[in-house]
Amino acid sequence: MSFLSLIGLFVVLKLFVYLALFLTGDTDLELWWYDKFKNNLGSFKDKVVWITGASSGIGEQIALNLSKHGAKLILSARSQDKLYHVKNRCIELSEGKLTANDILVLPMDVTHIAKHLSFFDNVINHFGKLDILVNNAGRSQRAVWEDIELGVDREAFELNVFSTVNLSRIAVKYFNQVGRGQIVITSSIAGIIPAPFSASYNATKHALHGYFGALRREKVHTNIHVTILCPGPVFSNFLKESFTARHGDKYGLTHSPTDNRMSAERCAHLSCVAIANKLKESWMAKFPILPITYLTVYYPVISYKLYELYGYKIAQKLRDNQ
Ligand SMILES: NC(=O)c1ccc[n+]([C@@H]2O[C@H](COP(=O)([O-])OP(=O)(O)OC[C@H]3O[C@@H](n4cnc5c(N)ncnc54)[C@H](OP(=O)(O)O)[C@@H]3O)[C@@H](O)[C@H]2O)c1
Protein backbone atom coordinates (compact mmCIF):
# COMPACT_ATOMS: atom_id res chain seq x y z
CA MET A 1 0.00 0.00 0.00
CA SER A 2 1.39 3.41 -0.96
CA PHE A 3 2.03 6.15 1.60
CA LEU A 4 -0.85 8.24 0.19
CA SER A 5 -3.28 5.29 0.44
CA LEU A 6 -2.22 4.85 4.07
CA ILE A 7 -3.00 8.49 4.82
CA GLY A 8 -6.35 8.13 3.02
CA LEU A 9 -7.17 5.03 5.08
CA PHE A 10 -6.26 6.88 8.28
CA VAL A 11 -8.55 9.80 7.38
CA VAL A 12 -11.46 7.48 6.54
CA LEU A 13 -10.96 5.51 9.78
CA LYS A 14 -10.83 8.73 11.77
CA LEU A 15 -14.08 9.91 10.16
CA PHE A 16 -15.73 6.59 11.08
CA VAL A 17 -14.57 6.91 14.68
CA TYR A 18 -15.90 10.49 14.83
CA LEU A 19 -19.20 9.42 13.29
CA ALA A 20 -19.56 6.55 15.78
CA LEU A 21 -18.84 8.90 18.68
CA PHE A 22 -21.28 11.53 17.37
CA LEU A 23 -24.02 8.92 17.09
CA THR A 24 -23.40 7.08 20.33
CA GLY A 25 -21.61 9.51 22.65
CA ASP A 26 -23.06 12.18 24.92
CA THR A 27 -20.05 14.51 25.08
CA ASP A 28 -17.84 16.46 22.72
CA LEU A 29 -14.72 14.60 21.65
CA GLU A 30 -12.30 16.35 24.02
CA LEU A 31 -14.45 15.65 27.07
CA TRP A 32 -15.03 12.07 25.87
CA TRP A 33 -11.24 11.53 25.78
CA TYR A 34 -10.69 12.95 29.27
CA ASP A 35 -13.63 11.00 30.68
CA LYS A 36 -12.32 7.72 29.26
CA PHE A 37 -8.58 8.12 29.79
CA LYS A 38 -7.71 10.91 32.24
CA ASN A 39 -10.61 12.03 34.40
CA ASN A 40 -8.27 13.52 37.04
CA LEU A 41 -11.08 13.50 39.63
CA GLY A 42 -8.55 12.75 42.40
CA SER A 43 -7.23 16.30 41.99
CA PHE A 44 -10.28 17.63 43.88
CA LYS A 45 -8.95 16.33 47.21
CA ASP A 46 -8.73 19.31 49.64
CA LYS A 47 -9.71 21.81 46.94
CA VAL A 48 -12.22 24.41 48.17
CA VAL A 49 -15.12 24.63 45.73
CA TRP A 50 -18.07 27.05 45.99
CA ILE A 51 -21.19 25.92 44.11
CA THR A 52 -24.18 28.22 43.58
CA GLY A 53 -27.52 26.55 42.85
CA ALA A 54 -26.41 23.58 44.97
CA SER A 55 -29.84 22.80 46.43
CA SER A 56 -31.12 20.77 43.45
CA GLY A 57 -30.46 19.40 39.97
CA ILE A 58 -27.03 19.72 38.39
CA GLY A 59 -25.53 21.81 41.23
CA GLU A 60 -26.62 19.29 43.88
CA GLN A 61 -25.16 16.42 41.85
CA ILE A 62 -21.86 18.29 41.30
CA ALA A 63 -21.64 18.74 45.10
CA LEU A 64 -22.33 15.01 45.72
CA ASN A 65 -19.78 14.02 43.08
CA LEU A 66 -17.06 16.34 44.41
CA SER A 67 -17.61 15.17 48.00
CA LYS A 68 -16.71 11.60 46.93
CA HIS A 69 -13.32 12.97 45.86
CA GLY A 70 -12.71 14.90 49.09
CA ALA A 71 -13.34 18.48 47.90
CA LYS A 72 -14.31 20.95 50.63
CA LEU A 73 -17.52 22.66 49.67
CA ILE A 74 -19.51 25.84 50.02
CA LEU A 75 -23.15 25.17 49.12
CA SER A 76 -25.28 28.14 48.11
CA ALA A 77 -28.90 28.60 47.01
CA ARG A 78 -31.96 30.12 48.66
CA SER A 79 -33.46 26.94 50.19
CA GLN A 80 -31.53 26.45 53.41
CA ASP A 81 -33.22 23.13 54.35
CA LYS A 82 -32.39 21.57 50.99
CA LEU A 83 -28.78 22.73 51.31
CA TYR A 84 -28.45 21.02 54.71
CA HIS A 85 -29.90 17.87 53.18
CA VAL A 86 -27.27 18.05 50.40
CA LYS A 87 -24.56 18.67 53.01
CA ASN A 88 -25.54 15.53 54.95
CA ARG A 89 -25.53 13.43 51.78
CA CYS A 90 -22.11 14.83 50.86
CA ILE A 91 -20.67 13.85 54.25
CA GLU A 92 -22.13 10.34 53.86
CA LEU A 93 -20.78 9.93 50.32
CA SER A 94 -17.33 11.21 51.24
CA GLU A 95 -16.83 8.03 53.35
CA GLY A 96 -14.83 9.82 56.04
CA LYS A 97 -12.96 12.24 53.79
CA LEU A 98 -15.12 15.18 54.91
CA THR A 99 -16.38 16.35 58.31
CA ALA A 100 -19.21 18.81 59.00
CA ASN A 101 -16.67 21.64 59.14
CA ASP A 102 -15.53 20.89 55.57
CA ILE A 103 -18.91 21.82 54.10
CA LEU A 104 -20.21 25.33 54.61
CA VAL A 105 -23.89 25.93 53.94
CA LEU A 106 -24.13 29.53 52.76
CA PRO A 107 -27.75 30.32 51.89
CA MET A 108 -27.98 33.25 49.50
CA ASP A 109 -30.09 34.76 46.81
CA VAL A 110 -27.42 35.33 44.18
CA THR A 111 -29.32 38.31 42.77
CA HIS A 112 -28.63 40.23 46.02
CA ILE A 113 -25.42 41.51 44.54
CA ALA A 114 -24.67 44.01 47.34
CA LYS A 115 -24.13 41.05 49.69
CA HIS A 116 -21.65 39.16 47.47
CA LEU A 117 -18.51 40.61 49.02
CA SER A 118 -19.53 39.75 52.58
CA PHE A 119 -20.44 36.19 51.47
CA PHE A 120 -17.03 35.92 49.82
CA ASP A 121 -15.35 37.07 53.05
CA ASN A 122 -17.31 34.37 54.94
CA VAL A 123 -15.84 31.74 52.62
CA ILE A 124 -12.26 32.96 53.02
CA ASN A 125 -12.67 33.30 56.81
CA HIS A 126 -13.98 29.75 57.03
CA PHE A 127 -11.58 27.90 54.71
CA GLY A 128 -8.67 30.35 54.34
CA LYS A 129 -8.86 30.00 50.55
CA LEU A 130 -11.08 29.41 47.51
CA ASP A 131 -9.89 27.29 44.57
CA ILE A 132 -12.93 27.00 42.29
CA LEU A 133 -16.15 29.00 41.95
CA VAL A 134 -18.93 27.10 40.15
CA ASN A 135 -21.59 29.59 38.97
CA ASN A 136 -24.48 27.21 38.44
CA ALA A 137 -27.63 28.94 39.80
CA GLY A 138 -30.00 29.76 36.96
CA ARG A 139 -33.46 29.47 35.45
CA SER A 140 -34.60 28.65 31.93
CA GLN A 141 -37.64 29.97 30.08
CA ARG A 142 -40.56 28.93 27.94
CA ALA A 143 -42.24 31.84 26.13
CA VAL A 144 -43.23 33.18 22.71
CA TRP A 145 -40.66 35.81 21.62
CA GLU A 146 -42.98 38.77 21.04
CA ASP A 147 -44.96 38.22 24.25
CA ILE A 148 -41.99 38.48 26.61
CA GLU A 149 -42.23 41.40 29.03
CA LEU A 150 -39.01 43.38 29.34
CA GLY A 151 -39.14 42.77 33.10
CA VAL A 152 -38.61 39.05 32.38
CA ASP A 153 -35.53 39.80 30.24
CA ARG A 154 -34.17 41.92 33.09
CA GLU A 155 -34.93 39.31 35.75
CA ALA A 156 -33.29 36.56 33.67
CA PHE A 157 -30.18 38.70 33.17
CA GLU A 158 -30.03 39.60 36.88
CA LEU A 159 -30.05 35.92 37.85
CA ASN A 160 -28.20 34.16 35.02
CA VAL A 161 -25.71 36.87 34.08
CA PHE A 162 -25.15 39.82 36.44
CA SER A 163 -25.04 37.75 39.64
CA THR A 164 -22.55 35.40 37.95
CA VAL A 165 -20.41 38.23 36.61
CA ASN A 166 -20.36 40.11 39.92
CA LEU A 167 -19.49 37.11 42.09
CA SER A 168 -16.85 36.04 39.57
CA ARG A 169 -15.26 39.51 39.54
CA ILE A 170 -14.81 39.30 43.31
CA ALA A 171 -13.34 35.80 42.95
CA VAL A 172 -11.01 36.80 40.08
CA LYS A 173 -9.61 39.74 42.10
CA TYR A 174 -8.86 37.25 44.86
CA PHE A 175 -7.39 34.74 42.34
CA ASN A 176 -5.15 37.55 41.01
CA GLN A 177 -3.77 38.04 44.54
CA VAL A 178 -3.11 34.36 45.23
CA GLY A 179 -1.94 33.66 41.66
CA ARG A 180 -4.35 30.83 40.76
CA GLY A 181 -8.00 29.82 40.60
CA GLN A 182 -10.79 28.59 38.38
CA ILE A 183 -14.13 30.07 37.38
CA VAL A 184 -16.75 27.59 36.18
CA ILE A 185 -19.94 28.63 34.41
CA THR A 186 -22.95 26.39 33.82
CA SER A 187 -24.05 27.67 30.44
CA SER A 188 -26.10 25.46 28.11
CA ILE A 189 -26.26 24.18 24.55
CA ALA A 190 -28.77 27.08 24.33
CA GLY A 191 -25.73 29.33 24.86
CA ILE A 192 -24.37 28.01 21.55
CA ILE A 193 -27.53 27.43 19.47
CA PRO A 194 -30.52 29.68 20.21
CA ALA A 195 -33.44 27.41 21.14
CA PRO A 196 -36.93 28.53 20.09
CA PHE A 197 -39.29 29.81 22.81
CA SER A 198 -36.52 30.69 25.25
CA ALA A 199 -35.28 34.03 23.92
CA SER A 200 -34.31 35.71 27.21
CA TYR A 201 -32.69 32.49 28.44
CA ASN A 202 -30.69 31.99 25.22
CA ALA A 203 -29.54 35.60 25.45
CA THR A 204 -28.35 35.17 29.05
CA LYS A 205 -26.37 32.06 28.20
CA HIS A 206 -24.86 33.66 25.07
CA ALA A 207 -23.91 36.66 27.23
CA LEU A 208 -22.02 34.36 29.59
CA HIS A 209 -19.89 33.09 26.67
CA GLY A 210 -19.09 36.70 25.77
CA TYR A 211 -18.16 37.74 29.30
CA PHE A 212 -16.18 34.66 30.23
CA GLY A 213 -14.61 34.12 26.81
CA ALA A 214 -13.10 37.58 27.26
CA LEU A 215 -11.92 36.73 30.79
CA ARG A 216 -10.25 33.54 29.52
CA ARG A 217 -8.36 35.48 26.86
CA GLU A 218 -7.27 38.17 29.35
CA LYS A 219 -5.91 35.50 31.70
CA VAL A 220 -4.22 33.38 29.03
CA HIS A 221 -0.73 33.73 30.52
CA THR A 222 -1.86 33.21 34.13
CA ASN A 223 -2.87 30.32 36.32
CA ILE A 224 -6.50 31.47 36.31
CA HIS A 225 -8.77 29.20 34.28
CA VAL A 226 -12.30 29.48 32.89
CA THR A 227 -14.43 26.39 32.23
CA ILE A 228 -17.78 26.77 30.48
CA LEU A 229 -20.13 23.79 30.78
CA CYS A 230 -22.78 23.39 28.08
CA PRO A 231 -25.37 20.75 28.94
CA GLY A 232 -28.30 19.87 26.68
CA PRO A 233 -31.60 18.77 28.25
CA VAL A 234 -31.09 17.35 31.76
CA PHE A 235 -33.59 16.01 34.32
CA SER A 236 -33.96 18.60 37.14
CA ASN A 237 -36.46 21.15 38.50
CA PHE A 238 -35.52 23.30 35.56
CA LEU A 239 -38.75 23.19 33.53
CA LYS A 240 -40.95 23.75 36.58
CA GLU A 241 -38.88 26.78 37.63
CA SER A 242 -38.57 28.31 34.14
CA PHE A 243 -39.43 31.95 33.45
CA THR A 244 -42.39 32.50 31.11
CA ALA A 245 -43.31 35.65 29.13
CA ARG A 246 -44.90 37.29 32.19
CA HIS A 247 -42.97 38.82 35.02
CA GLY A 248 -43.26 36.81 38.24
CA ASP A 249 -44.61 33.61 36.56
CA LYS A 250 -43.10 30.13 36.60
CA TYR A 251 -43.69 27.58 33.83
CA GLY A 252 -44.69 24.94 36.38
CA LEU A 253 -44.52 21.78 34.19
CA THR A 254 -42.44 18.77 35.16
CA HIS A 255 -40.55 16.42 32.86
CA SER A 256 -41.90 13.05 31.97
CA PRO A 257 -39.53 10.26 33.08
CA THR A 258 -39.49 9.00 29.47
CA ASP A 259 -38.12 12.30 28.08
CA ASN A 260 -34.86 12.13 26.13
CA ARG A 261 -32.80 13.92 28.79
CA MET A 262 -29.49 13.22 30.44
CA SER A 263 -29.61 12.42 34.15
CA ALA A 264 -28.35 15.16 36.46
CA GLU A 265 -25.86 12.60 37.88
CA ARG A 266 -24.31 11.96 34.44
CA CYS A 267 -24.22 15.69 33.67
CA ALA A 268 -22.51 16.36 37.01
CA HIS A 269 -19.95 13.58 36.46
CA LEU A 270 -19.03 14.98 33.04
CA SER A 271 -18.96 18.51 34.48
CA CYS A 272 -16.54 17.39 37.20
CA VAL A 273 -14.25 15.78 34.58
CA ALA A 274 -14.29 19.05 32.60
CA ILE A 275 -13.54 21.08 35.74
CA ALA A 276 -10.78 18.74 36.97
CA ASN A 277 -9.02 19.00 33.60
CA LYS A 278 -9.62 22.76 33.29
CA LEU A 279 -11.29 22.25 29.91
CA LYS A 280 -12.31 25.50 28.24
CA GLU A 281 -15.75 24.57 26.93
CA SER A 282 -17.49 21.22 27.24
CA TRP A 283 -20.66 20.05 25.52
CA MET A 284 -22.75 17.25 27.03
CA ALA A 285 -26.09 16.07 25.63
CA LYS A 286 -27.86 12.96 24.48
CA PHE A 287 -28.37 12.10 20.81
CA PRO A 288 -29.44 13.88 18.62
CA ILE A 289 -28.69 17.20 20.36
CA LEU A 290 -24.92 16.76 20.16
CA PRO A 291 -24.64 16.07 16.37
CA ILE A 292 -27.13 18.92 15.81
CA THR A 293 -24.82 21.20 17.79
CA TYR A 294 -21.79 20.19 15.72
CA LEU A 295 -23.77 20.66 12.50
CA THR A 296 -25.04 24.09 13.57
CA VAL A 297 -21.62 25.35 14.65
CA TYR A 298 -19.60 23.98 11.71
CA TYR A 299 -22.24 23.95 8.92
CA PRO A 300 -24.74 26.72 9.84
CA VAL A 301 -26.28 27.00 6.34
CA ILE A 302 -27.05 23.26 6.09
CA SER A 303 -28.33 23.23 9.64
CA TYR A 304 -30.72 26.13 9.00
CA LYS A 305 -31.98 24.45 5.80
CA LEU A 306 -32.77 21.35 7.86
CA TYR A 307 -34.47 23.51 10.47
CA GLU A 308 -36.64 25.06 7.71
CA LEU A 309 -37.56 21.57 6.52
CA TYR A 310 -38.36 20.00 9.86
CA GLY A 311 -39.53 23.08 11.75
CA TYR A 312 -39.47 24.22 15.31
CA LYS A 313 -41.95 21.54 16.39
CA ILE A 314 -39.14 19.00 16.19
CA ALA A 315 -36.94 21.31 18.24
CA GLN A 316 -39.68 21.46 20.89
CA LYS A 317 -39.99 17.69 20.82
CA LEU A 318 -36.25 17.34 21.36
CA ARG A 319 -36.22 19.84 24.21
CA ASP A 320 -39.43 19.19 26.09
CA ASN A 321 -41.00 16.13 24.46
CA GLN A 322 -44.01 18.29 23.46
N1 LIG B 1 -31.75 21.13 33.26
C1 LIG B 1 -31.39 21.43 32.04
O1 LIG B 1 -31.94 20.92 31.06
C2 LIG B 1 -30.25 22.40 31.83
C3 LIG B 1 -29.67 22.44 30.56
C4 LIG B 1 -28.62 23.32 30.32
C5 LIG B 1 -28.18 24.16 31.35
N2 LIG B 1 -28.76 24.11 32.57
C6 LIG B 1 -28.25 25.04 33.59
O2 LIG B 1 -27.95 24.33 34.76
C7 LIG B 1 -28.02 25.21 35.89
C8 LIG B 1 -28.74 24.48 37.01
O3 LIG B 1 -30.05 24.18 36.58
P1 LIG B 1 -30.78 22.82 36.95
O4 LIG B 1 -31.17 22.18 35.68
O5 LIG B 1 -30.01 22.03 37.92
O6 LIG B 1 -32.14 23.38 37.59
P2 LIG B 1 -32.69 23.38 39.08
O7 LIG B 1 -32.84 22.00 39.60
O8 LIG B 1 -33.92 24.24 39.00
O9 LIG B 1 -31.56 24.12 39.92
C9 LIG B 1 -31.42 25.50 39.91
C10 LIG B 1 -30.62 25.90 41.13
O10 LIG B 1 -30.46 27.32 41.12
C11 LIG B 1 -30.85 27.82 42.38
N3 LIG B 1 -31.35 29.19 42.26
C12 LIG B 1 -32.38 29.63 41.49
N4 LIG B 1 -32.57 30.95 41.71
C13 LIG B 1 -31.65 31.33 42.62
C14 LIG B 1 -31.35 32.56 43.25
N5 LIG B 1 -32.02 33.69 42.97
N6 LIG B 1 -30.32 32.60 44.14
C15 LIG B 1 -29.63 31.48 44.44
N7 LIG B 1 -29.87 30.29 43.88
C16 LIG B 1 -30.87 30.23 42.97
C17 LIG B 1 -31.93 26.86 42.88
O11 LIG B 1 -32.03 26.86 44.29
P3 LIG B 1 -33.09 27.67 45.17
O12 LIG B 1 -34.40 27.61 44.44
O13 LIG B 1 -33.05 26.94 46.46
O14 LIG B 1 -32.56 29.06 45.30
C18 LIG B 1 -31.32 25.54 42.43
O15 LIG B 1 -30.38 25.10 43.37
C19 LIG B 1 -28.71 26.47 35.40
O16 LIG B 1 -27.77 27.50 35.24
C20 LIG B 1 -29.26 26.08 34.05
O17 LIG B 1 -29.32 27.18 33.16
C21 LIG B 1 -29.78 23.25 32.84
Side-chain angles (χ1 to χ4, degrees), residues 53 55-56 58 78-79 109-110 136 187 201 205 232 234 236-237:
S55 64
S56 71
I58 299 169
R78 292 163 303 176
S79 324
D109 183 330
V110 290
N136 169 77
S187 174
Y201 178 70
K205 295 298 183 183
V234 173
S236 71
N237 290 337

Side-chain angles (χ1 to χ4, degrees), residues 21 27 33 124 132 156 180 207-208 236 248 251 254 272 303 317:
L21 289 174
T27 64
W33 191 88
I124 301 300
I132 304 171
R180 41 150 196 82
L208 291 172
S236 71
Y251 194 53
T254 45
C272 290
S303 121
K317 176 112 187 122

Side-chain angles (χ1 to χ4, degrees), residues 64-306:
L64 299 179
N65 201 306
L66 291 181
S67 66
K68 291 182 201 159
H69 302 287
K72 298 179 181 181
L73 300 172
I74 302 99
L75 306 177
S76 289
R78 292 163 303 176
S79 324
Q80 185 165 327
D81 292 353
K82 286 190 193 167
L83 290 176
Y84 276 107
H85 175 73
V86 176
K87 173 174 176 165
N88 291 337
R89 291 265 294 123
C90 285
I91 294 173
E92 252 172 64
L93 288 173
S94 80
E95 296 182 336
K97 291 188 208 71
L98 300 175
T99 65
N101 202 39
D102 294 325
I103 303 182
L104 177 64
V105 167
L106 195 58
M108 69 189 277
D109 183 330
V110 290
T111 61
H112 295 168
I113 279 170
K115 295 186 182 161
H116 282 183
L117 195 54
S118 74
F119 282 124
F120 196 85
D121 290 343
N122 280 356
V123 168
I124 301 300
N125 288 340
H126 187 89
F127 288 108
K129 67 166 185 170
L130 176 70
D131 295 299
I132 304 171
L133 170 63
V134 182
N135 293 285
N136 169 77
R139 285 172 64 192
S140 184
Q141 181 184 41
R142 296 297 181 267
V144 174
W145 196 96
E146 59 274 27
D147 294 342
I148 299 170
E149 294 172 2
L150 200 60
V152 175
D153 296 302
R154 290 207 169 100
E155 207 184 336
F157 268 79
E158 287 295 342
L159 173 62
N160 293 359
V161 182
F162 298 136
S163 66
T164 298
V165 169
N166 193 65
L167 197 58
S168 299
R169 284 195 175 129
I170 295 170
V172 170
K173 283 179 190 152
Y174 165 81
F175 292 156
N176 283 339
Q177 282 169 15
V178 297
R180 41 150 196 82
Q182 187 176 8
I183 298 284
V184 179
I185 307 294
T186 312
S187 174
S188 168
I189 293 290
I192 303 167
I193 310 173
F197 306 110
S198 297
S200 324
Y201 178 70
N202 295 325
T204 64
K205 295 298 183 183
H206 276 70
L208 291 172
H209 287 251
Y211 270 111
F212 289 92
L215 174 64
R216 183 189 295 125
R217 280 163 189 267
E218 288 179 31
K219 299 296 173 197
V220 64
H221 296 305
T222 72
N223 207 5
I224 298 172
H225 303 276
V226 176
T227 296
I228 303 184
L229 307 169
C230 300
V234 173
F235 284 105
S236 71
N237 290 337
F238 199 55
L239 202 54
K240 187 160 68 112
E241 292 295 314
S242 286
F243 293 109
T244 66
R246 286 161 56 99
H247 194 234
D249 268 8
K250 286 185 182 178
Y251 194 53
L253 293 187
T254 45
H255 309 295
S256 149
T258 55
D259 284 358
N260 183 30
R261 292 179 165 264
M262 182 179 273
S263 71
E265 290 88 334
R266 172 75 180 153
C267 178
H269 164 76
L270 293 171
S271 300
C272 290
V273 173
I275 299 168
N277 289 288
K278 301 186 172 64
L279 302 188
K280 291 177 180 57
E281 183 173 306
S282 294
W283 303 350
M284 46 201 94
K286 287 181 86 170
F287 180 85
I289 301 286
L290 208 61
I292 290 174
T293 309
Y294 272 103
L295 190 70
T296 308
V297 170
Y298 295 109
Y299 302 97
V301 176
I302 300 178
S303 121
Y304 201 74
K305 283 279 169 227
L306 287 173

